[in-house]
Amino acid sequence: MESVRKIFHAAMPSQSYSIYRGVEEDDEAELHIEDSPRTDQRSSPKASRFSISPQYQKLIITVIVTGFIAFILGYISTRRPCTTCNISNGDFTSDEPYEQEQYGPVTMDWSELKDLFTKYLTDGQRIEENIRKVSRAPHPSGSQEDGDLADHLLQTFRGYNMDHTWVDSHFAELQFPSRSQPNSLNIVNGSEIVERIPIGDPDVYCPYSASKTVEVYNAERAGALGVLIFPESSETSVYGHVHFGTGDPNTPGFPSFNHTQFPPFKSSGLPKIPAQPISLSAARSLLGRLSNPSIPNSWRAADFLSHGVGPTMTTSSHRVQLKVTNEPVSVELHNVFGSITGRSEPEHYIVVGAQRDSWGPGAAKSGVGTAILLELARTITMMVHNGFQPRRTILFVSWDGGDFGSIGATEWLEGYLSMLHLKAAAYMSLDTPVLGDENFLAKTSPLFNNLIENIIKQVDNPRQSKQSIYDYMTMKGSNWKAEVMAPLKKDSSAFAFTAFAGVPALEFSFIENSQPYKFLDTKQDTYDSLNQVMYGRLPSVALCVAEVAGLALIKLSHDHILPLDYTAYNDVLLKHLMTLQTYEKKLKSRGLSLEWLYSARGDYTRATQILKKAISQSDLHNEKVIQFFNVRIMRVEFYFLSQYVSAVNSPYRHILLGRGEHTLEALLEHLSRAQNDIDDNELHKQIALFTWTLEGAANALSGEVWEVQRSF
């Protein structure tokens, strides 16, 4: 309004004219602008003093209209969108969740958010440059190259003018090959080495293999003493850790911060036998020495397996000697963070992360994910600088130690677990997001199923423009969800977030079903190798993943009600109980019943229905009400962590997605045993603890303690 007043005063003539006419009868004044002169007023001295000539009347009207138009144009051009944003009503099936009743004077609907995101998302050139930069050379954890890359990401985050940037460093004990005593594979006769078999690249090894020397003569009778890993169609040896878990296996359940001392025990997921990658030619040399029987038919897909498979060698006195001498090394890891602070719920985090380190060049392993992470950080920061106001804080993280089992991510979770389970609302992993362009795959917690479906309906498939990813996948078959939706991988950072910390997580990727990318975890995982698989379309496919991830990230950080479908576990639990029903006769014969478990599942279903109804009937203008609901929604995954097992002995406490005797998987495995192999007491305990965890989840989701009146 001040600008209108200035324009108005600047346009007025220097001589002052009154536009008020006095009314003597009641001593009041009224606004009066004459349209045309009248004889009786011209003859009156009082009237003539308050009259305005026609040219000045037109001037005043022109100034007022001009000023009003200028004000409107100025308001439109300078307004900051999203000062009051749309409110999601908890309906997870709508394709356009933002196009609802508008609240407040200024709004940013879904189409505006998409347009703003698309405006600042590049055409793929920047992503290509960053993939090449990250994967130009090997950069394993602890190397100078990895350290330089971490510093580059930190400076890049700072260059984006993010709200906060920092590095979280800690030490972990990693394994590397011994330079003085290389790993070896030999044919021996007694103590004499008859032949040394070249294993291939001496730099290729299996972190966390047991370090020992073993000889195998008859695996069938003696049991396997070692493992040799080789590729089927390439001479390049394949790298990969053999720890059946995530994080530092020397401090399971504890953070590896600053050489902190913890109880001297190791992860139960560490192998007790040695493992070593070998080349294809080394495998052929060994397998060619095996005697009958012939290979099973199921193995014949490997064209070089045209000989026997043992159990003995053709020369009966000879043995295979495997010597693994990997050494533990304490390495400082660096996780790099950049954050955008939420405007309404700053204490709730949406975390998006990508592995940075790589034993080889790692174009697919770390290059694409890191490039997408940088592009999303840049794009969303630009959106914030131009009006987007996320409700929740967004954390962009570059993880270290990914090649050793998501150590950087897991140790961060372990270090801040007591706080993160209250603050982390969702996690998105960008690890290995592009391995082809044939099929879209989402490894995810069930809570994200509907969100993913909505997003892929709005993003073009990289193989076919003007056709969404959703349309492309449904065109391939009616059961598209079976191909698109998959459970979380057990060796990924996303799995650690959900199964260990109780934070819902998802991971996107494009894959090649017909011809899987064969250079992953090899020294040939370069930009050119990956780009060749997609016939030169790597930047555009990576850009497509960035669009999917970015739109999902915007919804997770922007929606008033978190777009997590807490009702998804209703169907998941029902399917599991239907499987358990097949063992009902076996349970009854042992005096056990699943009745309590059925009841707990019913309580959980009712709790989700009550919560959904409460959201739909509540005043979503009230920030306290919104946050009350969001806290309950974001902790649904946490409710499925068993409180009856130790995070040290059983770190993956999730009863449906985790590992250990407390899980549904373990219960089903126990029931599948022969009658005489079932431990009744242990089985009773498994059913009881699983049931109580599920009942606890239902009670927590239902809300208040005094509302939970049922006697279990």
Side-chain angles (χ1 to χ4, degrees):
M1 289 302 293
E2 184 64 24
S3 61
V4 174
R5 284 193 288 270
K6 289 180 180 179
I7 295 173
F8 179 78
H9 286 301
M12 288 294 287
S14 59
Q15 186 175 353
S16 176
Y17 290 88
S18 173
I19 58 174
Y20 287 88
R21 182 177 65 185
V23 181
E24 294 180 354
E25 288 80 1
D26 55 7
D27 293 324
E28 293 180 352
E30 68 179 41
L31 180 62
H32 179 72
I33 300 178
E34 300 291 349
D35 292 333
S36 59
R38 292 193 302 214
T39 304
D40 60 334
Q41 287 191 340
R42 285 203 306 269
S43 62
S44 168
K46 188 176 289 188
S48 64
R49 183 164 61 88
F50 291 96
S51 304
I52 300 176
S53 63
Q55 62 268 32
Y56 286 123
Q57 294 175 17
K58 294 179 180 178
L59 175 62
I60 292 170
I61 294 172
T62 302
V63 169
I64 292 174
V65 172
T66 303
F68 180 76
I69 293 173
F71 171 75
I72 294 299
L73 291 175
Y75 172 77
I76 292 174
S77 63
T78 60
R79 74 172 181 135
R80 289 180 63 83
C82 202
T83 55
T84 305
C85 297
N86 289 5
I87 298 174
S88 171
N89 63 2
D91 181 2
F92 304 100
T93 59
S94 171
D95 292 344
E96 296 291 339
Y98 284 91
E99 295 182 1
Q100 307 164 22
E101 180 184 353
Q102 304 295 302
Y103 298 94
V106 182
T107 61
M108 175 174 275
D109 61 22
W110 182 236
S111 61
E112 288 179 298
L113 284 168
K114 286 179 63 178
D115 289 345
L116 195 61
F117 176 69
T118 303
K119 176 181 178 181
Y120 293 112
L121 191 67
T122 64
D123 60 0
Q125 181 178 352
R126 193 188 304 267
I127 290 180
E128 178 185 357
E129 292 172 354
N130 281 324
I131 298 173
R132 290 185 181 275
K133 182 178 295 185
V134 173
S135 59
R136 62 189 172 191
H139 45 283
S141 296
S143 67
Q144 182 65 46
E145 294 80 6
D146 184 52
D148 291 344
L149 188 56
D151 186 64
H152 168 71
L153 264 69
L154 179 64
Q155 299 308 320
T156 303
F157 282 167
R158 288 176 176 171
Y160 294 158
N161 293 321
M162 305 179 86
D163 292 324
H164 302 284
T165 57
W166 71 98
V167 175
D168 184 83
S169 299
H170 56 274
F171 288 87
E173 190 175 273
L174 311 182
Q175 265 196 1
F176 295 94
S178 169
R179 297 302 177 189
S180 59
Q181 296 182 330
N183 299 341
S184 63
L185 184 65
N186 304 306
I187 302 296
V188 296
N189 185 2
S191 60
E192 179 187 1
I193 296 178
V194 176
E195 181 181 351
R196 298 183 186 275
I197 299 179
I199 61 176
D201 189 338
D203 292 334
V204 184
Y205 70 112
C206 289
Y208 303 122
S209 161
S211 293
K212 58 175 63 174
T213 301
V214 295
E215 294 181 4
V216 181
Y217 173 69
N218 191 324
E220 187 177 70
R221 289 187 304 177
L225 298 180
V227 176
L228 299 174
I229 304 168
F230 61 93
E232 289 187 5
S233 58
S234 172
E235 278 299 324
T236 302
S237 301
V238 179
Y239 166 93
H241 76 88
V242 290
H243 174 214
F244 193 58
T246 62
D248 185 350
N250 300 289
T251 59
F254 295 102
S256 300
F257 287 173
N258 303 321
H259 296 292
T260 306
Q261 298 300 307
F262 291 110
F265 64 90
K266 297 182 183 294
S267 167
S268 59
L270 282 174
K272 296 179 174 59
I273 61 175
Q276 174 64 34
I278 60 174
S279 65
L280 180 58
S281 58
R284 282 178 170 151
S285 176
L286 281 177
L287 293 172
R289 301 165 192 261
L290 296 178
S291 61
N292 292 328
S294 299
I295 63 170
N297 289 332
S298 60
W299 291 19
R300 292 187 182 275
D303 57 4
F304 63 88
L305 291 175
S306 57
H307 39 68
V309 291
T312 59
M313 300 190 71
T314 52
T315 305
S316 59
S317 60
H318 289 176
R319 293 179 173 85
V320 177
Q321 181 193 70
L322 172 62
K323 183 178 181 181
V324 175
T325 55
N326 299 335
E327 298 177 336
V329 178
S330 181
V331 172
E332 186 175 15
L333 305 180
H334 306 284
N335 296 327
V336 182
F337 290 79
S339 73
I340 297 172
T341 303
R343 304 304 191 259
S344 303
E345 301 177 44
E347 73 283 1
H348 292 161
Y349 308 151
I350 306 299
V351 187
V352 54
Q355 174 181 332
R356 182 185 68 251
D357 66 290
S358 177
W359 167 84
K365 193 66 179 286
S366 68
V368 178
T370 300
I372 293 175
L373 180 74
L374 287 172
E375 184 60 20
L376 289 179
R378 186 194 66 82
T379 301
I380 294 179
T381 304
M382 289 291 292
M383 291 176 65
V384 170
H385 292 164
N386 288 274
F388 172 45
Q389 296 189 11
R391 289 185 58 86
R392 300 169 194 91
T393 295
I394 306 175
L395 297 184
F396 299 90
V397 196
S398 172
W399 302 117
D400 203 352
D403 262 354
F404 292 83
S406 303
I407 290 186
T410 305
E411 297 304 311
W412 185 70
L413 289 171
E414 291 175 345
Y416 303 104
L417 184 61
S418 58
M419 176 181 66
L420 287 176
H421 81 269
L422 296 172
K423 294 182 176 292
Y427 175 66
M428 180 187 300
S429 169
L430 298 175
D431 293 346
T432 57
V434 176
L435 297 172
D437 66 350
E438 183 179 356
N439 284 338
F440 178 80
L441 182 66
K443 290 160 279 190
T444 177
S445 156
L447 300 184
F448 290 105
N449 287 355
N450 286 342
L451 173 63
I452 293 168
E453 182 176 344
N454 281 332
I455 296 299
I456 64 175
K457 286 179 178 178
Q458 303 174 58
V459 178
D460 283 353
N461 175 56
R463 279 195 171 188
Q464 184 70 45
S465 61
K466 307 301 181 182
Q467 182 187 47
S468 71
I469 298 172
Y470 175 85
D471 290 338
Y472 177 77
M473 295 305 298
T474 53
M475 180 183 68
K476 301 180 72 172
S478 58
N479 193 18
W480 68 274
K481 281 191 176 181
E483 289 194 29
V484 171
M485 307 297 186
L488 293 167
K489 289 175 57 180
K490 287 184 168 60
D491 61 347
S492 71
S493 59
F495 178 78
F497 266 84
T498 298
F500 172 71
V503 178
L506 73 162
E507 187 172 290
F508 302 118
S509 60
F510 273 98
I511 61 173
E512 207 78 15
N513 280 346
S514 56
Q515 188 177 1
Y517 181 62
K518 62 183 180 181
F519 298 122
L520 189 66
D521 293 316
T522 74
K523 287 187 176 180
Q524 294 183 31
D525 181 18
T526 63
Y527 180 94
D528 290 337
S529 295
L530 186 59
N531 194 34
Q532 186 177 5
V533 171
M534 285 160 281
Y535 302 97
R537 297 194 303 271
L538 173 56
S540 62
V541 178
L543 187 67
C544 179
V545 176
E547 189 174 356
V548 172
L551 293 178
L553 193 61
I554 291 169
K555 269 196 64 63
L556 288 167
S557 62
H558 176 268
D559 273 17
H560 280 58
I561 299 298
L562 275 165
L564 300 176
D565 186 4
Y566 46 86
T567 67
Y569 273 115
N570 296 344
D571 290 338
V572 172
L573 289 167
L574 180 60
K575 290 178 181 177
H576 288 319
L577 290 184
M578 290 174 66
T579 303
L580 281 170
Q581 273 186 324
T582 61
Y583 297 101
E584 202 152 20
K585 289 183 179 179
K586 183 179 287 189
L587 288 167
K588 284 184 177 181
S589 68
R590 296 175 178 277
L592 297 174
S593 170
L594 296 175
E595 182 180 352
W596 289 5
L597 187 52
Y598 298 150
S599 176
R601 186 261 171 185
D603 288 345
Y604 182 85
T605 300
R606 282 187 290 275
T608 62
Q609 294 168 347
I610 291 170
L611 177 57
K612 189 170 186 177
K613 183 178 180 180
I615 293 174
S616 66
Q617 296 179 348
S618 296
D619 176 15
L620 297 184
H621 294 91
N622 189 317
E623 284 295 329
K624 289 186 177 179
V625 171
I626 293 171
Q627 294 190 32
F628 172 72
F629 287 133
N630 282 336
V631 167
R632 287 162 68 180
I633 294 170
M634 66 183 275
R635 288 174 61 79
V636 165
E637 208 78 74
F638 180 80
Y639 300 151
F640 285 101
L641 299 187
S642 175
Q643 64 269 42
Y644 304 107
V645 295
S646 164
V648 176
N649 298 321
S650 301
Y652 306 110
R653 294 180 293 152
H654 200 292
I655 59 173
L656 299 174
L657 305 175
R659 291 208 310 266
E661 290 302 310
H662 59 285
T663 64
L664 177 68
E665 182 181 30
L667 175 58
L668 290 170
E669 188 277 329
H670 196 167
L671 285 169
S672 66
R673 298 175 192 169
Q675 288 279 6
N676 56 349
D677 289 334
I678 293 178
D679 184 330
D680 287 353
N681 290 333
E682 181 63 24
L683 185 60
H684 195 163
K685 177 183 174 182
Q686 284 180 302
I687 295 174
L689 296 188
F690 184 87
T691 302
W692 269 112
T693 302
L694 180 55
E695 184 66 29
N699 293 346
L701 192 61
S702 66
E704 306 297 347
V705 173
W706 51 83
E707 293 177 359
V708 183
Q709 296 293 335
R710 292 189 58 225
S711 175
F712 188 68

